[in-house]
Amino acid sequence: MHFLMQFAIILSVSFAGEALRALLPLPVPASVYGLCLMLALLCTGVLKPETLRPTSQYLIDVMPIMFVPSCVGLMNVFGELLPVLLPFVAICLISTVLVIGATGRMAQFMIRREGRQHDA
């Protein structure tokens, strides 16, 4: 029953992101709104990380399975992708490196901030 409640909370935040995308005239994806809402809820203490940890860990564990349909879709359109394969691969590599770097920097920032809060 706990998993259903945790999953309902995650879906509710995602739905709120969809609602914000529909309401606000900004070119921001609904998933970004949802992530920002979840971050705000976690940072303000409205939601505790322990509340969602089991379900979020499960979703992370099954995430690789979610990429299978998109990979199969790429295989279906490989002939159309072939002429732009080099720029496509370059963009994928560059964006991956940038995302990894930004994630690492943010993790370091949060770890340092958490350390200062415990010291105070």
Side-chain angles (χ1 to χ4, degrees), residues 96-112:
T96 300
V97 169
L98 290 174
V99 168
I100 289 172
T103 303
R105 288 295 217 183
M106 182 57 74
Q108 289 175 343
F109 169 76
M110 293 180 76
I111 289 168
R112 277 192 228 112

Side-chain angles (χ1 to χ4, degrees), residues 45-81:
V46 173
L47 283 176
K48 302 284 185 221
E50 298 80 33
T51 307
L52 302 174
R53 184 165 282 127
T55 300
S56 58
Q57 186 61 50
Y58 171 75
L59 291 172
I60 289 171
D61 290 343
V62 300
M63 190 186 308
I65 297 170
M66 305 302 174
F67 290 105
V68 171
S70 60
C71 292
V72 171
L74 280 176
M75 289 170 39
N76 287 337
V77 295
F78 187 73
E80 298 168 27
L81 187 61

Side-chain angles (χ1 to χ4, degrees), residues 5-19:
M5 183 56 103
Q6 294 168 10
F7 196 65
I9 292 170
I10 293 170
L11 286 178
S12 297
V13 173
S14 295
F15 179 74
E18 290 286 343

Side-chain angles (χ1 to χ4, degrees), residues 77-98:
V77 295
F78 187 73
E80 298 168 27
L81 187 61
L82 198 55
V84 291
L85 189 60
L86 187 60
F88 179 78
V89 170
I91 290 169
C92 287
L93 290 175
I94 291 168
S95 63
T96 300
V97 169
L98 290 174

